[in-house]
Amino acid sequence: MSHHHHSHKQEEEAKKYDYIYYVVALISGMFVGAIVDRGLIYIPVGGVFGLLTAALFIKFLVRGRENV
């Protein structure tokens, strides 16, 4: 039972730092959007795609490492 509690606490601790993935993805996506150089509209579009990529990364890769 204590192992389950420890695992839950570890998951909460990891969730606290998820915002780092989102910030890095947002900045990277906006940077890529700026590099595309097809107009200013691609900067926020790049940011949105960056956030979506971060969400998928966290959901499938980061959360999946606990089950290995």
Side-chain angles (χ1 to χ4, degrees):
M1 184 72 174
S2 66
H3 177 69
H4 182 268
H5 179 70
H6 179 69
S7 172
H8 182 67
K9 184 169 175 62
Q10 208 173 21
E11 185 177 322
E12 284 179 9
E13 190 72 23
K15 260 190 175 150
K16 231 173 17 177
Y17 296 106
D18 281 357
Y19 76 94
I20 294 172
Y21 290 108
Y22 289 114
V23 169
V24 169
L26 178 65
I27 293 170
S28 300
M30 290 173 71
F31 183 70
V32 169
I35 289 177
V36 168
D37 198 30
R38 300 265 184 201
L40 292 178
I41 190 67
Y42 282 92
I43 295 174
V45 169
V48 169
F49 279 122
L51 289 175
L52 290 172
T53 303
L56 290 173
F57 180 81
I58 289 171
K59 182 172 176 66
F60 293 110
L61 297 177
V62 176
R63 294 287 178 254
R65 72 176 174 217
E66 296 167 356
N67 300 331
V68 173

